[in-house]
């Protein structure tokens, strides 16, 4: 019998702050589906909703010792999810502006031949960095970005969970952003092989 499901949210938060994994699991089980539905209704994208909810719970565990909840636990989790959604929207708008400016720049006739050589060098560098990723992460990443498989298709093909697929892709993108810098990363997204 699970005694944690008898605890109030406030009690669970107290236990969570002290590092109690069972309290964390109970909070997760209590709120995972309502948060997924809430975020899906905001984004219209199930994969993105899963990623956002995963990030909410990852941050909850990572920041448990400094956790200060002034309202309800549900309100705290909804606010955390909303903030992540807003940050992603802002980031997408900024990335969109970068993409547009890079595309306009690359489409200028006088710069095409000069920049094709640089672009080819960048593509070679990107391929080298992808090849340096850990084997399973690289395989998942390439299935996603080069073969355009969904998280579910990759999970089925490799016999792993969709959450693991999402984690591998997120980590690969972080590594590539750090190693390649923004410009090379954006070029790779615009001109995937």
């Amino acid at each position: 019998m699970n005694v944690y499901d008898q605890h109030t949210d406030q009690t669970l938060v107290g236990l969570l702050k002290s590092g109690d994994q069972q309290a964390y699991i109970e909070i997760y089980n209590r709120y995972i589906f309502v948060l997924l539905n809430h975020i899906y209704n905001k984004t219209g994208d199930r994969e993105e909703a899963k990623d956002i909810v995963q990030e909410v719970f990852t941050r909850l565990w990572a920041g448990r010792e400094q956790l200060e909840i002034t309202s309800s636990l549900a309100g705290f989790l909804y606010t955390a999810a909303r903030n992540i959604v807003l940050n992603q929207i802002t980031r997408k708008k900024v990335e969109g502006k970068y993409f547009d400016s890079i595309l306009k720049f690359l489409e200028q006739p006088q710069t095409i031949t000069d920049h094709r050589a640089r672009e080819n060098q960048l593509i070679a560098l990107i391929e080298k960095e992808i090849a340096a990723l850990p084997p399973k992460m690289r395989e998942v990443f390439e299935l996603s970005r080069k073969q355009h498989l969904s998280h579910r298709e990759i999970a089925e093909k490799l016999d792993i969970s969709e959450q693991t697929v999402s984690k591998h892709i997120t980590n690969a993108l972080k590594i590539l952003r750090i190693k390649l810098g923004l410009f090379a990363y954006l070029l790779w997204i615009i001109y995937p092989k």
Side-chain angles (χ1 to χ4, degrees):
M1 180 174 163
N2 180 8
V3 296
Y4 285 85
D5 63 3
Q6 304 299 316
H7 291 314
T8 65
D9 284 356
Q10 188 175 8
T11 302
L12 289 172
V13 169
L15 293 168
L16 174 66
K17 288 178 76 166
S18 67
D20 189 321
Q21 290 182 349
Q22 290 301 327
Y24 174 76
I25 291 168
E26 179 60 33
I27 292 169
Y28 179 87
N29 289 335
R30 213 174 265 191
Y31 288 101
I32 181 69
F33 295 111
V34 292
L35 277 177
L36 274 171
N37 285 333
H38 177 70
I39 299 304
Y40 175 70
N41 288 335
K42 299 288 183 205
T43 64
D45 183 327
R46 290 199 187 285
E47 295 301 324
E48 187 174 9
K50 288 177 187 177
D51 289 346
I52 290 168
V53 171
Q54 178 184 345
E55 189 169 341
V56 168
F57 283 106
T58 300
R59 288 181 183 183
L60 179 67
W61 178 256
R64 67 190 176 279
E65 293 173 357
Q66 296 82 30
L67 198 58
E68 293 297 328
I69 298 179
T70 55
S71 61
S72 67
L73 176 58
F76 175 84
L77 293 171
Y78 280 108
T79 300
R82 185 194 72 221
N83 289 340
I84 292 170
V85 169
L86 293 175
N87 287 341
Q88 287 190 353
I89 289 169
T90 302
R91 189 187 76 241
K92 286 178 183 176
K93 285 182 181 177
V94 170
E95 286 177 353
K97 288 179 184 177
Y98 277 120
F99 291 154
D100 291 344
S101 68
I102 289 172
L103 282 174
K104 285 178 186 173
F105 177 75
L106 292 175
E107 289 172 352
Q108 294 174 359
Q110 67 272 19
T111 62
I112 288 178
T113 54
D114 184 38
H115 293 284
R116 287 289 178 217
R118 289 187 198 149
E119 181 185 328
N120 289 336
Q121 290 173 338
L122 282 172
I123 289 171
L125 175 63
I126 291 166
E127 290 299 324
K128 178 183 168 200
E129 292 301 336
I130 290 172
L133 291 171
K136 184 60 91 174
M137 184 186 297
R138 182 182 68 242
E139 182 179 15
V140 169
F141 187 77
E142 288 179 337
L143 287 171
S144 171
R145 293 307 193 260
K146 292 183 178 180
Q147 294 184 23
H148 308 291
L149 299 180
S150 70
H151 288 198
R152 174 172 288 138
E153 291 169 328
I154 296 168
E156 289 172 1
K157 182 172 184 153
L158 300 180
D159 196 27
I160 57 177
S161 72
E162 287 182 51
Q163 186 176 3
T164 301
V165 170
S166 178
K167 189 175 175 184
H168 278 309
I169 291 171
T170 300
N171 290 339
L173 288 172
K174 284 179 186 174
I175 290 168
L176 292 173
R177 277 187 211 121
I178 291 167
K179 291 194 175 196
L180 299 172
L182 181 63
F183 186 72
Y185 174 72
L186 292 174
L187 268 181
W188 179 76
I189 291 173
I190 293 168
Y191 295 105
K193 274 194 166 182

